[in-house]
Amino acid sequence: MKYLIVGLGNPGLEYRDTRHNVGFMVLDELANCSNAQFVTQRHAEVTEVKFAGKKLLLVKPNTYMNLSGKALKYWMDVEKIPIENVLVITDDLSLPVGKIRIRTKGTDGGHNGLKDIQMRIGTTEYPRLRFGIGSEFQRGKQADYVLSAFNKDEVPIVEIKVSDCTEIIKSFATIGLERTMNIYNK
């Protein structure tokens, strides 16, 4: 069975360690642990890892955040992966730094990457892993905040939670979304 794991972020070194790129951070960690290398393909950086007999296609869109749905839809169609086997990893301003939530569906919550995904696949019902990045910004400074790096006090928390997310992805692929939610949404 094949799974499509899409980490949201922006391509380029200037965005590498920013809050908006936690989706990329999680996939980089999973790929590193599996000795897998991303290669540039259509609309994304892509690699495949195997875990417990499952194939996980890891996709980091290179379309920039606001067009994330283009890459997700392309790889979903090319690989013929059903929506229930897709997991989107995204940053979330409404959660404190490092708080993780897994959901079966939901709104875009003002997140342009999720908005584009939902527009392109025609539904809000797809699995997502939301990674809290906090909301410590002044009014009107949201864009600057999400494109900023985590501060030195947050980095150890983020590193632990990025590692936890790799375990959540493996759980999603092996025991399913509902059981994974029961374990990790505590």
Side-chain angles (χ1 to χ4, degrees):
M1 183 149 322
K2 192 176 267 192
Y3 293 83
L4 178 63
I5 313 298
V6 180
L8 300 190
N10 286 311
L13 290 177
E14 68 270 32
Y15 301 110
R16 186 181 180 106
D17 294 318
T18 63
R19 294 171 191 276
H20 224 20
N21 273 38
V22 294
F24 282 16
M25 291 176 197
V26 170
L27 294 191
D28 287 340
E29 176 73 10
L30 185 55
N32 287 340
C33 291
S34 303
N35 294 316
Q37 299 292 313
F38 283 95
V39 293
T40 301
Q41 294 193 28
R42 184 105 184 236
H43 305 304
E45 296 289 316
V46 181
T47 193
E48 187 174 282
V49 299
K50 294 182 179 163
F51 179 76
K54 311 291 185 187
K55 292 180 183 178
L56 309 176
L57 184 66
L58 309 183
V59 171
K60 299 188 307 185
N62 59 18
T63 54
Y64 289 91
M65 184 66 78
N66 295 353
L67 297 176
S68 298
K70 185 175 187 176
L72 182 146
K73 179 80 168 110
Y74 174 82
W75 287 100
M76 202 171 121
D77 290 348
V78 165
E79 296 291 330
K80 296 176 178 43
I81 298 174
I83 194 73
E84 61 271 10
N85 287 7
V86 174
L87 180 65
V88 174
I89 303 146
T90 184
D91 59 296
D92 194 317
L93 283 166
S94 65
L95 295 173
V97 172
K99 185 77 172 173
I100 296 169
R101 285 280 181 257
I102 309 161
R103 295 284 182 250
T104 59
K105 61 184 177 181
T107 67
D108 59 54
H111 192 288
N112 290 329
L114 295 179
K115 194 176 292 180
D116 189 62
I117 288 169
Q118 290 167 191
M119 188 264 307
R120 291 182 190 261
I121 65 173
T123 184
T124 60
E125 297 189 17
Y126 60 92
R128 68 204 62 196
L129 174 55
R130 298 168 44 214
F131 191 113
I133 62 168
S135 58
E136 303 299 317
F137 57 90
Q138 296 175 345
R139 185 178 171 97
K141 300 289 185 182
Q142 179 175 327
D144 293 337
Y145 180 76
V146 301
L147 295 177
S148 70
F150 291 97
N151 68 47
K152 65 178 170 54
D153 295 331
E154 295 169 330
V155 169
I157 297 165
V158 171
E159 289 174 349
I160 290 166
K161 292 303 184 172
V162 162
S163 181
D164 289 349
C165 286
T166 65
E167 295 306 310
I168 290 170
I169 292 166
K170 293 172 186 175
S171 177
F172 167 73
T174 54
I175 66 171
L177 183 61
E178 295 297 328
R179 287 178 62 196
T180 299
M181 286 172 60
N182 289 337
I183 294 167
Y184 290 98
N185 279 347
K186 294 180 179 174

